[in-house]
Amino acid sequence: MNLDEIQQIFFQECEEGLGALESAFADLKRGRHDDETINTVFRSVHSIKGGAGAFGHDRLQHFSHHYETVLDLIRNGTLPLSEPLIDLIVAAFDTLTDHVAAARGEGGMPADQAMLDRLAAAAEGKIEGGAEAAPEVEAVADTPAPAPAPMDDFDALFAMLEEPAAPAAETAPAEWIVTVHPGPRAFDHGAEPMLALRELSRMGARTLSADLSDLPLLDGLDAERSYMGFTLALPGTTDEDDIRAVFDFADPQCRLTVTRATEEVVPAAPAPEPEAVEPAPAAPPVAAPAPVATAPAPLAAVPAAPAPVEPAAPSLAEVANSPRVAAAAAQTIRVDLDKLDRLVNLVGELVITQAMLAQRLSENEMGSIPELSDLDHLTRELQDSTMAIRAQPMKTVFSRVPRIIRELEVETGKRVRLEVEGEMTEVDKTVVERIGEPLTHLIRNAVDHGLETPADRKAVGKDGEGVVTLSAAHQSGRIVITVADDGRGIDRARVKAKAIERGIIAPDAQLSEEEIDNLIFAPGFSTAAVVSNISGRGVGMDVVRKNIQALGGRIGIQSELGKGSSFSLSLPLTLAVLDGMIVTVGDQTFVIPLTHIVESLRPGIDEVHFVGGQSPLLDVRGTYVPVHRVGEQLGVGGATRKPEDAVLIVVESDQGQAVLMVDSIQDQRQVVVKSLEANYRAIHGLAGATILGDGRVALILDVDALIGRWRRDGRSGGAFIEDLAA
Amino acid sequence: MTALSLAPVLDTTAAAPLRQALLDLIASGDAIALDGGQVTQAGQACLQVLASAQAMAASIRTDFELQNPSEALASMITLAGLDRLVTPAA
């Protein structure tokens, strides 16, 4: 693995860390936080800082260092967590996100000086918008404090010391003895080894001793070089990986050992004489006979816990290569996406081959042999498992939304509460990657158009704070993502008037509520009185719909005037397979995605009507729906021309209902989608291709695109054939 | 004896000035008396400067006293296993 690849992993971890921060901030803002929340924030920022230093992203590291300083003061209790302070650390997080993006080359370097100044002021207890939270130094200065008072960090330690040791020793595993020698360059890039010790103390560690054997006298000391080592004891129940993880980003020369103390020494009772083991660093050369008045117990236990110090502590790199660590790490592995895609492709080929085999066997009257159904079952399971590897939680996308909301609050002056549901719902990686932009549009739309100003809300008896709900759920093999607001709802009279004014619909058009709602997806439609940065250019919602359609999805709207609107995106779980109806048109076979199909029928003569020279119309329970002869319009020879001899398939498209006329239906099944773009080139009107059981290629119809095109300009098969030939 | 008040922020950048101040104090022949009451942050670099100064003071038989440590300083001293740095209150 080269440095670039490792750096990519770092960025992925940054992404995960930033996601964890967003969740933690949501808790902080709602007042649902505990020590662990701020710890989570601290750890994420600390990891980002460590990685940034390792890869030379100095500005990112510099910023995260100052950010981390404030967070550390919060978690050690020096700075009380007030609302202005929460606002500051959330705002600083946005700058941190920008720094990470800049480090990835995805944006310019953010101007961070103002934020750094605010962080520096906060570190001194001066927080904007809040009473000065003076660090509790004065109080300490007034009252001589001979011994460190118990503070949060050490609560666990003191609690542990107060517990009777003997009963625990009977059942608990032996304590961990951890020795750390941070390495001479441990202070480079603003790193602070004490933070790792503090992290350990939060896990219940107590420091047994400092190793000062390498520490020179003051005149020979280089102030920027680390000379110290530390020995700590941690509860035996702590996970060893958690201990080692604290040093993930430590200096490469950091020497770390994690070993179990022997069972006998856990209770502070008579300890065996440590034989042949160096008496640990309990007696450093510093001549300082001052007795330690506090905490005698742990110190007394030092020689009793002989910390089987290994002759030469392995470096972190060596530790990482040890089999035990490798075994633990094997629980999750990072896989190159290309390899995964190759696997998905191969499984697709296997599915196709299996279908071919099934067809061949059934031709030879062996279609019902049990091995074939076993193979079918296994293939399907393999396919599902492979797709599951590509599945990612929607959280990856949802975690970006709080920032968007924060920015919108500032831009619009509205107050918004975001509620998120179902963020662990999993969906194919491709969908996760491509849903971000349309979702951003919908969120912006909900805040800018949907929610009223606090004053307007109060005037109609609503809470001044608007609510935007973002949810994801699996429904019937699809994922449904909903963006809802409790704002003013769609004013249909206004939407219709605007559509008439823009020439989108005729003045006398009779539209249902649903059709009026759908007008907001028309290109160039916008009812915003003022064009803002957020919305109002009329280029948002039509793009949203196009993007969703490109993912094989559709958008539904539900709205009630004065109560709010809800936009539902229904998307396939994966783009690699789809359920389709296999139909015959002339000498060709096509696949119609099942998501579009409403019903199929063989019409009676009186159900199809011809009006002038236009396309025939099918009477679907009182509504006349245009019939498109697929064969004729795609230029396929030999197709049935008379509707009464054909099969009519009623489909739902974004242009409303339409009827596709085909010769016959062969089958309904899941097909593996082969990309035309990847294997040939994109063709308007075709969503892809698949390979059938008999080895022939069948094209998958893009129903929305075809019907839209036929309705718009009545282009016929000639144009389609030109597309194919071009 | 006037105690030298330690700076509020004892991070890595403060280590070199602290070392120099302590060397100057030792050179002047005075006993080392430090007041840690104002310290809000302390890192390893400064802690090891203090430990080294204490050792040097012992080697030349000069008194070394660190009194009145703030909570932040005291907790870091304990965390570093350097409790002997602090002079117990009388």
Side-chain angles (χ1 to χ4, degrees), chain A residues 14-84:
Chain A
C14 276
E15 195 94 334
E16 288 159 15
L18 294 174
L21 285 171
E22 279 289 12
S23 307
F25 289 143
D27 288 344
L28 285 175
K29 286 211 145 192
R30 287 175 194 157
R32 290 197 313 232
H33 56 86
D34 52 23
D35 287 352
E36 191 46 36
T37 314
I38 203 75
N39 271 338
T40 306
V41 176
F42 179 85
R43 278 196 295 270
S44 299
V45 175
H46 183 63
S47 297
I48 290 172
K49 181 180 111 171
F55 294 107
H57 299 298
D58 294 341
R59 294 284 302 273
L60 170 60
Q61 189 198 28
H62 179 71
F63 184 82
S64 37
H65 173 66
H66 288 273
Y67 192 8
E68 182 191 67
T69 301
V70 173
L71 293 169
D72 191 41
L73 291 172
I74 295 171
R75 69 179 197 155
N76 70 22
T78 307
L79 289 177
L81 195 53
S82 59
E83 205 162 307

Side-chain angles (χ1 to χ4, degrees), chain A residues 137 192 207 216 218 221 225-226, chain B residues 19 37 43-44 48 52 58 79-80:
Chain A
V137 179
E192 176 51 70
T207 307
L218 200 57
L221 177 135
R225 183 186 164 104
S226 168
Chain B
R19 170 181 171 272
Q44 187 199 316
Q48 66 183 22
S52 176
L79 194 59

Side-chain angles (χ1 to χ4, degrees), chain A residues 19 22-23 25-30 32 394-395 397-409 414-423 439-440 442-444 446-447 451 457 465-472 481-486:
Chain A
E22 279 289 12
S23 307
F25 289 143
D27 288 344
L28 285 175
K29 286 211 145 192
R30 287 175 194 157
R32 290 197 313 232
M394 281 303 292
K395 191 177 180 182
V397 182
F398 283 7
S399 64
R400 296 176 205 146
V401 175
R403 177 171 188 181
I404 298 169
I405 297 272
R406 284 197 293 277
E407 288 173 352
L408 288 170
E409 281 184 304
K414 294 175 182 177
R415 285 169 46 217
V416 187
R417 185 169 84 244
L418 176 69
E419 292 188 350
V420 179
E421 293 163 16
E423 59 187 347
L439 201 61
T440 305
L442 287 178
I443 296 279
R444 287 178 164 262
V447 176
L451 294 182
R457 290 179 66 86
E465 186 180 61
V467 180
V468 171
T469 310
L470 185 58
S471 66
I481 300 165
T482 308
V483 178
D485 65 73
D486 68 342

Side-chain angles (χ1 to χ4, degrees), chain A residues 69 137 140 145 148 151 187 192-194 198 201 207 210 215-219 221 223 225-228 230 284 286-288, chain B residues 12 16 19 22 37-38 40-41 43-45 48-49 52 54-56 58 68-71 74-76 78-82 84:
Chain A
T69 301
V137 179
V140 175
M151 54 186 296
F187 305 142
E192 176 51 70
M194 294 302 291
R198 186 186 284 281
S201 89
T207 307
L215 184 69
L217 294 181
L218 200 57
D219 48 359
L221 177 135
R225 183 186 164 104
S226 168
Y227 298 97
M228 291 177 70
F230 309 92
V286 177
Chain B
T12 302
R19 170 181 171 272
L22 292 169
Q38 300 298 313
T40 57
Q41 282 181 55
Q44 187 199 316
Q48 66 183 22
V49 166
S52 176
Q54 189 180 38
M56 190 161 175
N68 184 31
S70 66
E71 197 172 288
S75 73
M76 286 316 243
T78 303
L79 194 59
L82 293 174
R84 63 175 63 90

Side-chain angles (χ1 to χ4, degrees), chain A residues 491-507:
Chain A
D491 183 345
R492 296 194 174 92
R494 191 154 153 253
V495 167
K496 193 175 173 190
K498 195 80 176 177
I500 293 169
E501 181 193 314
R502 294 271 163 103
I504 295 169
I505 55 168

Side-chain angles (χ1 to χ4, degrees), chain B residues 16-43:
Chain B
L18 176 64
R19 170 181 171 272
Q20 194 54 53
L22 292 169
L23 279 174
D24 292 347
L25 207 57
I26 291 171
S28 72
D30 287 346
I32 300 174
L34 305 171
D35 183 330
Q38 300 298 313
V39 177
T40 57
Q41 282 181 55

